[in-house]
Amino acid sequence: LVGNLGEGVMDFFYEPAKGLVKSPQEFGRGLAKGTTSLLKHTVTGVFGAASKVTGKLAEGIAVLAFDEEFQRDARLDSRKPPRHVGEGLVRGTKSIVLGVYRGVTGIVTDPYHGYRRQGWKGTLKGVGTGIIGIGLKPAAGTVKAASQILMGIGNTATCCDEVFENERARFPRYIGPERILRPYNAKDAAMAASLRVHEIDDLAFSKEEKSKEVYIRMFEAQTGNLVVSNFRLMLLPQTSLRHASEAKRKEIKPIFTMLWEDVKGFNHVANNLIIQAKNTSNHPQLKFATESKASKAKHKLVKLQSEYDQKKRGKIAGAITNVAKNLRININPFGGSSGSAVTGSKPPSKAISKAERMEELPAG
């Protein structure tokens, strides 16, 4: 709430001041822009804060109902907030209906599930949770509906930002990891932009790792455009080259996405390129115009896979070496250990002969 209001107030004063430096006309545009920003952030902040409060209250009521499945459904429904007030009303109505339905049917289903888990003891427990849920589940659904509607009202202020986004004349220029400015390439720019729009949908990748994804190249096939990065392969429809607006790019969904670590190899039969997957029998295929193009694409992809495997082995070797350094152990990651010196071990004591001990005794 404070962050949204602060940003709106700052825009309300900053935008007119910035325009006043240029011309009276720019001052008018800045005043309109700043006022719009203030209203937008005020609505978003106030209703967003109210939605979060009611949402947490609904979660608390759901916990008191002692129904784990009902709680899980409520959490999953909260992951994707409504984009506008209309969607908020629809999802709010759904929450109320679901709460009433689960409350009424819980009288029968809770004892049944309790019996399957814990026998008669679970049946008695299920009767208790079913009776409690008659009132709590509809109440949780109603409070959740209020949260969804409030969030929809708050998001209505920003839902049209992408709709009214100016259509770009072309995709942003792609600059590779070597940071060399090359002549503009429309296809590379389009495919690199598509990678930014369609992020890696894998929980194993952190936000920081996703930001390190680098576009490598693309292959044009009759099936679509195969985009290759340092993390994955993604096949997009041929229409992905047409629209430069981010809002329209999001509407174009990938045909398939496969991480490099899930790729077993590549093969081609006639003018069809086959991507062999490791853990499934479903191997994606790309149809090229000629057999020659399919063969060239296969050889280039095999080379890229070899480079990926080499970098992966290097990372594993580096990780093992770092662990070995921390343990003070001299290890060759791919050749075994070449001796060890573990911290805390004592050096071997030197054997002293009887004659040497006699010499160290004092005279007399």
Side-chain angles (χ1 to χ4, degrees):
L1 174 61
V2 175
N4 276 288
L5 290 177
E7 188 173 351
V9 171
M10 184 181 70
D11 288 344
F12 180 74
F13 290 102
Y14 174 74
E15 294 295 340
K18 185 175 69 172
L20 183 62
V21 176
K22 297 180 180 178
S23 66
Q25 291 81 3
E26 289 296 326
F27 171 76
R29 295 191 185 96
L31 182 61
K33 187 175 180 181
T35 305
T36 304
S37 177
L38 178 60
L39 293 174
K40 183 189 301 182
H41 285 91
T42 301
V43 172
T44 303
V46 171
F47 285 96
S51 173
K52 289 180 180 179
V53 172
T54 52
K56 291 298 180 183
L57 180 60
E59 290 179 9
I61 298 174
V63 170
L64 295 177
F66 298 103
D67 188 338
E68 295 182 358
E69 187 177 354
F70 181 70
Q71 296 173 34
R72 185 180 67 250
D73 292 343
R75 286 194 300 268
L76 291 174
D77 190 53
S78 302
R79 290 185 177 180
K80 187 179 180 181
R83 293 173 294 178
H84 47 76
V85 64
E87 191 171 318
L89 288 170
V90 172
R91 293 176 63 174
T93 305
K94 180 181 175 182
S95 296
I96 295 175
V97 173
L98 180 63
V100 174
Y101 172 77
R102 296 296 290 272
V104 173
T105 58
I107 302 175
V108 178
T109 58
D110 285 8
Y112 171 72
H113 292 306
Y115 177 77
R116 293 188 61 183
R117 294 191 191 104
Q118 300 177 336
W120 290 110
K121 182 180 178 181
T123 303
L124 295 175
K125 183 180 177 181
V127 171
T129 57
I131 294 173
I132 294 173
I134 294 176
L136 290 180
K137 290 179 182 177
T142 304
V143 177
K144 186 67 179 178
S147 174
Q148 296 283 359
I149 294 171
L150 289 171
M151 180 62 73
I153 295 173
N155 290 342
T156 302
T158 58
C159 72
C160 297
D161 288 353
E162 291 183 354
V163 176
F164 295 108
E165 176 191 27
N166 293 329
E167 184 76 17
R168 298 184 64 97
R170 66 181 192 182
F171 290 99
R173 179 188 296 273
Y174 170 70
I175 300 177
E178 67 278 1
R179 314 308 296 172
I180 298 176
L181 189 64
R182 304 182 186 279
Y184 181 79
N185 186 304
K187 294 180 179 179
D188 285 342
M191 297 300 100
S194 298
L195 283 177
R196 292 192 295 270
V197 171
H198 303 290
E199 289 187 344
I200 299 175
D201 186 16
D202 194 311
L203 296 177
F205 285 81
S206 65
K207 187 175 182 180
E208 182 181 358
E209 289 174 325
K210 291 179 182 179
S211 65
K212 295 180 181 178
E213 184 175 23
V214 177
Y215 167 77
I216 297 177
R217 64 166 301 156
M218 68 165 289
F219 296 91
E220 290 186 81
Q222 294 180 347
T223 316
N225 300 313
L226 182 66
V227 188
V228 182
S229 76
N230 56 330
F231 290 151
R232 56 174 168 162
L233 308 174
M234 181 172 65
L235 183 64
L236 294 172
Q238 293 181 342
T239 54
S240 57
L241 291 172
R242 298 177 186 173
H243 304 293
S245 121
E246 184 173 345
K248 292 183 179 179
R249 285 202 303 271
K250 288 182 179 179
E251 297 176 359
I252 302 173
K253 302 300 181 183
I255 299 173
F256 76 82
T257 300
M258 184 180 293
L259 298 176
W260 272 112
E261 59 188 31
D262 296 329
V263 177
K264 183 178 180 181
F266 300 91
N267 197 2
H268 81 279
V269 177
N271 61 334
N272 292 318
L273 174 70
I274 303 172
I275 303 176
Q276 299 170 335
K278 289 182 179 178
N279 302 319
T280 178
S281 58
N282 184 20
H283 306 304
Q285 296 188 22
L286 281 76
K287 185 176 181 180
F288 286 82
T290 62
E291 183 176 358
S292 174
K293 290 184 177 181
S295 176
K296 289 180 180 179
K298 173 207 165 184
H299 290 301
K300 291 177 181 178
L301 287 168
V302 168
K303 184 179 179 181
L304 290 172
Q305 184 184 23
S306 176
E307 293 174 357
Y308 171 80
D309 292 338
Q310 186 176 357
K311 290 180 180 178
K312 187 176 181 180
R313 287 195 297 269
K315 289 181 180 179
I316 295 174
I320 295 175
T321 303
N322 289 335
V323 173
K325 287 181 179 179
N326 292 333
L327 297 175
R328 303 289 181 85
I329 302 174
N330 186 16
I331 294 180
N332 182 351
F334 299 106
S337 60
S338 58
S340 64
V342 182
T343 304
S345 61
K346 296 180 179 180
S349 59
K350 181 181 178 181
I352 302 176
S353 65
K354 184 177 180 180
E356 290 173 334
R357 288 199 298 271
M358 293 296 293
E359 290 177 359
E360 291 177 356
L361 294 175

